[in-house]
Amino acid sequence: SQTIHQWPATLVQPVGSPLSLECTVEGTSNPNLYWYRQAAGRGLQLLFYSVGIGQISSEVPQNLSASRPQDRQFILSSKKLLLSDSGFYLCAWNEGPNSPLHFGNGTRLTVT
Amino acid sequence: SQQGEEDPQALSIQEGENATMNCSYKTSINNLQWYRQNSGRGLVHLILIRSNEREKHSGRLRVTLDTSKKSSSLLITASRAADTASYFCATYLNTGGFKTIFGAGTRLFVKA
């Protein structure tokens, strides 16, 4: 069966520090991969999605970037965090247009 | 901006009652999905309904889709305290790319 791993679960970082969040999927090949951010009590904002290695689509211009160095690995990065980067970051995957998203357990990022 | 908007934003009911949540969206869709999120966790997929379908059932869940009104509803029958969670609708857009866009969610509280 397929599983998705996302880490770390929580992270507290100072303003101006770098960020690297990692997500890996097991049990499937060539998944579509997604990064979402959720502000407290709000819906999910799509940040990036990828349909293949090295293919990244950005939805919101911001202080973040994403990379897909391997088929089932998706990384969210920042060179210098801002206070506004705080939030709940969720990685997800699916198989294509008419398949549901499968989410990781999320990373709670607090920028201080 | 949000593609889907849920209504109500919050709902409090007694155990055993039915809960109805509504979702409206703006543009043409390929499918519409409903998800559940327990506090501080990732989202769990409930039901996916395609644009050419009008109703779908899964256990105590019933989803309807009216593409002429660009709206959907999620009915949870005979609710239980364990149904307490946030519920989100999400639309997969027909406009190219692989974007699943989420609404702000309905927070459901079921009192025992």
Side-chain angles (χ1 to χ4, degrees):
Chain A
S1 63
Q2 302 94 351
T3 56
I4 178 169
H5 302 280
Q6 186 181 344
W7 67 93
T10 59
L11 192 59
V12 180
Q13 292 284 102
V15 168
S17 64
L19 173 74
S20 180
L21 301 181
E22 190 164 341
C23 171
T24 60
V25 179
E26 296 177 356
T28 187
S29 60
N30 198 31
N32 297 328
L33 296 170
Y34 306 81
W35 280 110
Y36 286 88
R37 178 170 61 196
Q38 184 178 31
R42 303 291 300 276
L44 277 68
Q45 179 187 34
L46 179 61
L47 302 176
F48 301 95
Y49 66 91
S50 171
V51 300
I53 295 175
Q55 301 179 57
I56 308 294
S57 295
S58 173
E59 287 301 296
V60 182
Q62 57 207 332
N63 187 40
L64 302 170
S65 62
S67 62
R68 184 171 178 171
Q70 300 180 44
D71 181 44
R72 290 167 289 177
Q73 183 185 30
F74 206 23
I75 297 172
L76 182 70
S77 304
S78 174
K79 292 181 179 178
K80 288 186 178 182
L81 284 168
L82 306 172
L83 286 174
S84 58
D85 292 324
S86 293
F88 191 48
Y89 289 82
L90 290 155
C91 181
W93 73 274
N94 69 3
E95 294 177 334
N98 279 311
S99 63
L101 288 168
H102 305 279
F103 284 85
N105 284 329
T107 295
R108 175 86 48 200
L109 172 66
T110 303
V111 182
T112 60
Chain B
S1 64
Q2 300 282 11
Q3 158 72 336
E5 297 291 342
E6 285 92 340
D7 171 58
Q9 292 185 333
L11 181 61
S12 181
I13 59 174
Q14 291 291 138
E15 208 167 29
E17 294 180 339
N18 296 340
T20 299
M21 289 159 269
N22 303 297
C23 170
S24 59
Y25 58 91
K26 299 174 184 174
T27 62
S28 177
I29 62 171
N30 183 290
N31 64 59
L32 186 142
Q33 304 162 41
W34 284 91
Y35 291 81
R36 165 194 169 125
Q37 183 182 35
N38 287 85
S39 181
R41 303 299 300 270
L43 281 72
V44 175
H45 175 256
L46 298 175
I47 289 183
L48 183 152
I49 185 166
R50 301 189 184 199
S51 59
N52 61 353
E53 298 176 312
R54 292 296 167 259
E55 188 170 312
K56 252 185 145 173
H57 297 255
S58 176
R60 294 185 293 114
L61 306 180
R62 181 173 78 101
V63 167
T64 60
L65 178 64
D66 186 335
T67 52
S68 66
K69 295 181 179 178
K70 291 186 169 60
S71 68
S72 173
S73 66
L74 169 67
L75 169 67
I76 304 175
T77 60
S79 63
R80 305 165 182 168
D83 294 328
T84 294
S86 291
Y87 292 83
F88 295 88
C89 73
T91 48
Y92 186 86
L93 304 183
N94 259 337
T95 54
F98 288 79
K99 305 177 190 180
T100 301
I101 307 298
F102 285 79
T106 293
R107 283 169 287 287
L108 173 66
F109 181 64
V110 181
K111 293 177 282 188

